[in-house]
Coordinates of all heavy atoms in Angstrom, one line a residue:
R895 N 0.8 -1.2 0.0 CA 0.0 -0.1 0.0 C 0.9 1.2 0.0 O 0.7 2.2 0.8 CB -0.9 0.0 1.2 CG -1.9 -1.1 1.3 CD -3.0 -0.9 0.2 NE -3.9 0.2 0.5 CZ -4.6 0.7 -0.5 NH1 -4.6 0.3 -1.7 NH2 -5.3 1.8 0.0
T896 N 1.9 1.4 -1.0 CA 2.8 2.5 -0.9 C 1.9 3.6 -1.5 O 0.8 3.6 -2.0 CB 3.9 2.2 -1.9 OG1 3.3 1.9 -3.3 CG2 4.7 1.0 -1.5
R897 N 2.6 4.8 -1.5 CA 1.8 6.1 -1.9 C 1.4 5.9 -3.3 O 0.4 6.3 -3.7 CB 2.7 7.3 -1.7 CG 2.0 8.6 -2.1 CD 2.8 9.8 -1.8 NE 3.3 9.9 -0.3 CZ 4.1 10.7 0.1 NH1 4.7 11.6 -0.6 NH2 4.4 10.9 1.4
S898 N 2.5 5.4 -4.2 CA 2.2 5.3 -5.7 C 1.0 4.3 -5.9 O 0.1 4.6 -6.7 CB 3.3 4.9 -6.3 OG 3.7 3.7 -5.9
A899 N 0.9 3.3 -5.1 CA -0.1 2.2 -5.3 C -1.5 2.9 -4.9 O -2.5 2.6 -5.5 CB 0.1 1.0 -4.3
R900 N -1.5 3.7 -3.8 CA -2.8 4.3 -3.4 C -3.3 5.4 -4.5 O -4.4 5.4 -4.7 CB -2.6 5.0 -2.1 CG -2.5 4.0 -0.9 CD -2.6 4.7 0.4 NE -1.7 5.8 0.7 CZ -0.5 5.8 1.1 NH1 0.0 4.6 1.6 NH2 0.3 6.8 1.4
R901 N -2.3 6.1 -5.1 CA -2.7 7.0 -6.2 C -3.2 6.2 -7.4 O -4.2 6.6 -8.0 CB -1.5 7.8 -6.6 CG -1.1 9.0 -5.6 CD -0.1 10.0 -6.3 NE 1.0 9.4 -6.8 CZ 2.2 9.3 -6.1 NH1 2.4 9.9 -5.0 NH2 3.2 8.7 -6.7
Q902 N -2.6 5.1 -7.6 CA -3.0 4.2 -8.8 C -4.4 3.8 -8.6 O -5.2 3.8 -9.5 CB -2.0 3.1 -8.9 CG -2.3 2.2 -10.2 CD -1.9 2.9 -11.5 OE1 -2.6 2.8 -12.5 NE2 -0.8 3.5 -11.5
E903 N -4.7 3.2 -7.3 CA -6.0 2.7 -7.0 C -7.1 3.9 -7.1 O -8.2 3.6 -7.6 CB -6.0 2.1 -5.6 CG -7.5 1.4 -5.4 CD -7.3 0.6 -4.0 OE1 -6.3 0.6 -3.4 OE2 -8.3 -0.1 -3.7
A904 N -6.8 5.1 -6.5 CA -7.6 6.1 -6.7 C -7.9 6.6 -8.2 O -9.1 6.9 -8.5 CB -7.1 7.4 -6.0
R905 N -6.9 6.4 -9.0 CA -7.2 6.7 -10.5 C -8.2 5.7 -11.1 O -8.9 6.1 -11.8 CB -5.8 6.7 -11.2 CG -6.0 7.2 -12.6 CD -4.7 7.1 -13.4 NE -4.4 5.7 -13.6 CZ -4.9 4.9 -14.7 NH1 -5.8 5.4 -15.4 NH2 -4.5 3.7 -14.8
L906 N -7.9 4.4 -10.7 CA -8.9 3.4 -11.2 C -10.1 3.5 -10.8 O -11.1 3.3 -11.5 CB -8.2 2.1 -10.9 CG -6.9 1.7 -11.4 CD1 -6.3 0.3 -11.1 CD2 -6.8 1.7 -13.0
L907 N -10.2 3.9 -9.5 CA -11.6 4.1 -8.9 C -12.4 5.3 -9.6 O -13.6 5.2 -9.9 CB -11.6 4.2 -7.5 CG -11.5 3.0 -6.5 CD1 -11.1 3.4 -5.2 CD2 -12.6 2.1 -6.7
D908 N -11.7 6.3 -9.9 CA -12.2 7.4 -10.7 C -12.7 6.9 -12.0 O -13.8 7.3 -12.5 CB -11.2 8.5 -10.9 CG -11.1 9.3 -9.6 OD1 -11.8 9.2 -8.7 OD2 -9.9 10.0 -9.5
R909 N -11.9 6.0 -12.7 CA -12.2 5.5 -14.0 C -13.5 4.6 -13.9 O -14.4 4.7 -14.7 CB -11.1 4.7 -14.7 CG -11.4 3.9 -15.9 CD -11.7 4.8 -17.0 NE -12.0 4.1 -18.2 CZ -12.8 4.5 -19.2 NH1 -13.3 5.7 -19.1 NH2 -12.9 3.8 -20.3
V910 N -13.5 3.9 -12.9 CA -14.7 2.9 -12.6 C -16.0 3.9 -12.4 O -17.0 3.5 -13.0 CB -14.5 2.0 -11.5 CG1 -15.9 1.3 -11.0 CG2 -13.3 1.0 -11.7
G911 N -15.8 4.9 -11.7 CA -16.9 5.8 -11.3 C -17.5 6.4 -12.7 O -18.7 6.5 -12.9
E912 N -16.7 6.7 -13.7 CA -17.0 7.3 -14.9 C -17.9 6.3 -15.7 O -18.9 6.6 -16.2 CB -15.7 7.7 -15.7 CG -15.1 8.9 -15.1 CD -13.8 9.3 -15.9 OE1 -13.4 8.4 -16.8 OE2 -13.1 10.2 -15.5
I913 N -17.4 5.0 -15.7 CA -18.1 4.0 -16.5 C -19.4 3.7 -15.7 O -20.4 3.5 -16.4 CB -17.2 2.8 -16.5 CG1 -15.9 3.1 -17.3 CG2 -18.0 1.6 -17.1 CD1 -14.9 2.0 -17.3
V914 N -19.4 3.6 -14.5 CA -20.7 3.4 -13.6 C -21.7 4.4 -14.1 O -22.8 4.1 -14.3 CB -20.4 3.4 -12.2 CG1 -21.6 3.5 -11.4 CG2 -19.7 2.0 -11.8
D915 N -21.3 5.7 -14.1 CA -22.2 6.8 -14.4 C -22.6 6.7 -15.9 O -23.9 6.8 -16.2 CB -21.5 8.1 -14.2 CG -21.3 8.5 -12.8 OD1 -21.9 7.8 -11.9 OD2 -20.5 9.3 -12.4
Y916 N -21.7 6.3 -16.8 CA -22.0 6.3 -18.2 C -23.2 5.1 -18.5 O -24.0 5.3 -19.4 CB -20.8 6.0 -19.0 CG -21.0 5.7 -20.4 CD1 -21.4 6.7 -21.2 CD2 -20.7 4.4 -21.1 CE1 -21.6 6.6 -22.7 CE2 -21.0 4.2 -22.4 CZ -21.3 5.3 -23.2 OH -21.5 5.1 -24.5
L917 N -23.1 4.0 -17.7 CA -24.0 2.9 -18.0 C -25.1 2.9 -17.0 O -25.9 1.9 -17.0 CB -23.1 1.5 -18.0 CG -22.2 1.4 -19.1 CD1 -21.5 0.0 -19.0 CD2 -22.8 1.4 -20.4
G918 N -25.2 3.9 -16.2 CA -26.3 4.0 -15.2 C -26.4 3.0 -14.2 O -27.4 2.4 -13.8
L919 N -25.2 2.6 -13.7 CA -25.1 1.6 -12.7 C -24.9 2.2 -11.3 O -24.6 1.5 -10.2 CB -23.8 0.7 -13.0 CG -24.0 -0.2 -14.2 CD1 -22.8 -0.9 -14.6 CD2 -25.2 -1.3 -14.1
G920 N -25.0 3.4 -11.1 CA -24.8 4.1 -9.7 C -25.6 3.5 -8.7 O -25.0 3.3 -7.5
A921 N -26.8 3.2 -8.8 CA -27.6 2.7 -7.8 C -27.3 1.2 -7.3 O -27.6 0.9 -6.1 CB -29.1 2.7 -8.2
V922 N -26.5 0.5 -8.2 CA -26.2 -0.8 -7.8 C -24.6 -1.0 -7.7 O -24.2 -2.0 -7.5 CB -26.7 -1.9 -8.7 CG1 -28.2 -1.9 -8.7 CG2 -26.1 -1.6 -10.1
R923 N -23.9 0.2 -7.5 CA -22.5 0.0 -7.5 C -21.8 -0.8 -6.5 O -20.9 -1.5 -6.8 CB -21.9 1.5 -7.4 CG -20.3 1.5 -7.4 CD -19.9 3.0 -7.5 NE -18.5 3.1 -7.5 CZ -17.7 4.2 -7.8 NH1 -18.5 5.3 -8.0 NH2 -16.5 4.2 -7.7
H924 N -22.5 -0.9 -5.3 CA -21.9 -1.7 -4.2 C -22.7 -2.9 -3.9 O -22.6 -3.5 -2.8 CB -21.8 -0.7 -2.9 CG -21.0 0.5 -3.1 ND1 -19.6 0.3 -3.3 CD2 -21.2 1.7 -3.3 CE1 -19.0 1.5 -3.4 NE2 -20.1 2.4 -3.5

């Protein structure tokens, strides 16, 4: 869980969030 790994995971989560919004999956994300 280095700093670079945490930054990388945050970037991926942002990307996932964009796709979730694009496909209308926000209500079932979790």
Side-chain angles (χ1 to χ4, degrees):
R895 300 285 298 159
T896 63
R897 181 180 300 177
S898 63
R900 292 194 301 272
R901 283 199 303 265
Q902 184 75 219
E903 185 172 3
R905 187 188 70 81
L906 294 181
L907 282 171
D908 286 343
R909 173 63 178 155
V910 168
E912 292 171 358
I913 296 169
V914 163
D915 291 342
Y916 176 67
L917 293 178
L919 294 169
V922 296
R923 179 170 181 167
H924 300 292

